[in-house]
Amino acid sequence: DACKGAGIDIPDELLSTLYRFRFAESRPVGWAFVHAMLRESVERTSRDAERWPRWNAACAAMLGRRTGRGLAERIGRHLVAAEDLAAAAPPLLQGALERADHSAYRAAREVLDLLDETLDRMGTAAEAPARSESALARVRAHIGEGDFPAADALAARTAESARRAREKGTLARALRQRGMIAVKRGDLAVAEAIRPNSKNDIPHASSRP
């Protein structure tokens, strides 16, 4: 599908040759390389010939025509490899959230690491909405892992950044996360004190009244 979208004709004898030399094996749906070294060699040749971005763009376009779970992260990774960083950020965020939805919090943080690296390469400002979305998703992963100190510290920084940028929606979401963390830690008084419309400093959820 990716080759067709890129206007590349696949030789009729290609798969039969791979099968004959046991470089590939048939699967119920499609086929797969038998040896990782062959796949890595093909990838290395593509990089050396500066074709790597083009083929990753073709893979991202192919996946973009499909529907189903788990596609967003794959699309985002292909777009990063294609050097289309601006287009990569949204699907990477979606992919991280999908990971978190399935309690794969470590994997979610790994995708968010790639997202943050991508934003760094783009020169995205610290208070840009994309930074806040990444931070809020990371807070969610920390909460899922039970790392409440890390979650609260990041939520507090995100709330403060949103306050400076006058992003009321982001501020409300960050404060809601802080309230949730306080409840989970049994700090009910602190949870009650956190208000999206508060003009005072937000109490830290790790301190008890």
Side-chain angles (χ1 to χ4, degrees), residues 11-25 38:
D12 293 336
E13 69 276 10
L14 176 60
L15 277 180
S16 61
T17 301
L18 291 174
Y19 292 149
R20 186 167 67 255
F21 287 98
R22 298 183 180 179
F23 288 143
E25 62 183 5
L38 174 59

Side-chain angles (χ1 to χ4, degrees), residues 148-164:
F148 299 136
D152 184 63
L154 181 54
R157 291 197 300 272
T158 305
E160 190 56 40
S161 176
R163 181 180 285 107
R164 290 194 301 268

Side-chain angles (χ1 to χ4, degrees), residues 15 18-19 22-35:
L15 277 180
L18 291 174
Y19 292 149
R22 298 183 180 179
F23 288 143
E25 62 183 5
S26 179
R27 294 287 178 85
V29 178
W31 60 275
F33 286 113
V34 171
H35 303 289

Side-chain angles (χ1 to χ4, degrees), residues 47-104:
R47 292 177 191 272
D48 292 344
E50 299 182 351
R51 295 190 296 264
W52 189 243
R54 180 186 176 188
W55 301 145
N56 274 278
C59 289
M62 176 270 294
L63 292 172
R65 294 189 291 270
R66 299 188 175 192
T67 58
R69 262 183 215 172
L71 293 177
E73 178 185 340
R74 294 174 61 193
I75 291 171
R77 290 183 180 277
H78 279 300
L79 288 173
V80 169
E83 300 294 332
D84 193 350
L85 304 183
L92 285 177
L93 176 63
Q94 182 182 342
L97 293 173
E98 289 176 354
R99 291 281 196 177
D101 284 343
H102 292 85
S103 301

Side-chain angles (χ1 to χ4, degrees), residues 3-200:
C3 288
K4 182 179 179 180
I8 302 298
D9 293 328
I10 302 175
D12 293 336
E13 69 276 10
L14 176 60
L15 277 180
S16 61
T17 301
L18 291 174
Y19 292 149
R20 186 167 67 255
F21 287 98
R22 298 183 180 179
F23 288 143
E25 62 183 5
S26 179
R27 294 287 178 85
V29 178
W31 60 275
F33 286 113
V34 171
H35 303 289
M37 290 181 63
L38 174 59
R39 185 189 69 247
E40 293 167 0
S41 178
V42 172
E43 292 178 356
R44 183 172 58 255
T45 301
S46 178
R47 292 177 191 272
D48 292 344
E50 299 182 351
R51 295 190 296 264
W52 189 243
R54 180 186 176 188
W55 301 145
N56 274 278
C59 289
M62 176 270 294
L63 292 172
R65 294 189 291 270
R66 299 188 175 192
T67 58
R69 262 183 215 172
L71 293 177
E73 178 185 340
R74 294 174 61 193
I75 291 171
R77 290 183 180 277
H78 279 300
L79 288 173
V80 169
E83 300 294 332
D84 193 350
L85 304 183
L92 285 177
L93 176 63
Q94 182 182 342
L97 293 173
E98 289 176 354
R99 291 281 196 177
D101 284 343
H102 292 85
S103 301
Y105 301 115
R106 180 176 179 179
R109 287 191 290 105
E110 290 175 353
V111 179
L112 291 170
D113 288 343
L114 178 58
L115 172 58
D116 289 342
E117 291 171 9
T118 301
L119 296 176
D120 289 343
R121 291 175 60 189
M122 293 169 58
T124 306
E127 294 182 356
R131 296 284 192 183
S132 297
E133 292 299 329
S134 176
L136 291 175
R138 193 177 294 274
V139 170
R140 180 177 172 185
H142 285 318
I143 293 174
E145 292 175 313
D147 190 350
F148 299 136
D152 184 63
L154 181 54
R157 291 197 300 272
T158 305
E160 190 56 40
S161 176
R163 181 180 285 107
R164 290 194 301 268
R166 299 183 181 277
E167 294 285 346
K168 294 183 179 180
T170 301
L171 175 60
R173 290 163 62 199
L175 292 180
R176 182 176 182 276
Q177 285 184 322
R178 293 204 68 202
M180 183 187 307
I181 295 164
V183 170
K184 288 180 176 293
R185 300 176 74 172
D187 291 331
L188 302 183
V190 172
E192 179 64 23
I194 294 175
R195 300 293 188 200
N197 60 350
S198 174
K199 296 181 180 180
N200 301 318

